[in-house]
Amino acid sequence: MIVLRGFGCRVLEAAMRSQQHQQQGAFVARSVFPCTAEAVRPARDWAASVLRQAGGGTELQAETCALLVSELATNAVLHAEGERFEVTVWPECTIDVRDGSRKEPESRFPGDGEEGGRGLLLVTLLAQKYEVILTDDGKISRFRL
């Protein structure tokens, strides 16, 4: 069962699209990373490289992809359960970061002096679309550039 939450998304349409991708195996590339701070940079660099080489993205999209994967992978490392997180690059510049937590990310509005807490804000501002899909074993944070 897939439960979908997102910012301005159509629940039925997105759930159907997600199921279609799973059935068709239509992703460009997928990689699994250990749930450690040291894995964030390789995940970010891997996703940007795939987008550049095979995903049809521009250089600006690849750089934005790197930033957003970094933010979502950091959230997975800091807040998710499990020993790994997974990054999938789909056609049309769509990227998933999957982790083992069913807890939905919450946007924060940190003060001027705070270092963290701006990751989801960046994702929602820079992505064309951002959504969170709850699955039986965790969640998928998906963005499209």
Side-chain angles (χ1 to χ4, degrees):
M1 179 172 134
I2 297 175
V3 179
L4 189 61
R5 307 263 189 260
F7 299 92
C9 64
R10 293 183 186 168
V11 174
L12 181 59
E13 178 184 301
M16 289 171 51
R17 187 181 68 242
S18 180
Q19 289 169 353
Q20 275 182 324
H21 283 297
Q22 289 174 351
Q23 291 169 357
Q24 296 172 352
F27 63 87
V28 174
R30 175 175 290 148
S31 190
V32 176
F33 299 90
C35 222
T36 64
E38 294 78 24
V40 171
R41 183 181 197 125
R44 174 192 74 192
D45 294 345
W46 175 84
S49 176
V50 169
L51 195 62
R52 280 184 191 102
Q53 295 173 11
T58 66
E59 183 59 29
L60 179 59
Q61 286 172 319
E63 290 174 14
T64 304
C65 170
L67 174 62
L68 301 187
V69 167
S70 179
E71 296 299 337
L72 295 174
T74 298
N75 284 352
V77 168
L78 294 176
H79 306 293
E81 302 163 6
E83 297 178 5
R84 65 183 186 91
F85 66 91
E86 181 180 282
V87 180
T88 305
V89 178
W90 297 94
E92 300 177 9
C93 299
T94 300
I95 292 83
D96 291 352
V97 177
R98 181 182 192 120
D99 64 49
S101 172
R102 287 189 44 86
K103 184 176 186 289
E104 291 187 49
E106 296 178 15
S107 291
R108 292 183 41 215
F109 299 96
D112 291 338
E114 293 182 65
E115 280 189 35
R118 292 173 180 81
L120 288 180
L121 181 60
L122 284 172
V123 174
T124 58
L125 289 173
L126 296 175
Q128 270 185 3
K129 185 173 186 177
Y130 168 66
E131 60 193 0
V132 176
I133 303 165
L134 298 180
T135 64
D136 290 338
D137 61 349
K139 71 176 168 299
I140 299 168
S141 296
R142 174 175 292 162
F143 65 88
R144 183 174 182 180
L145 300 172

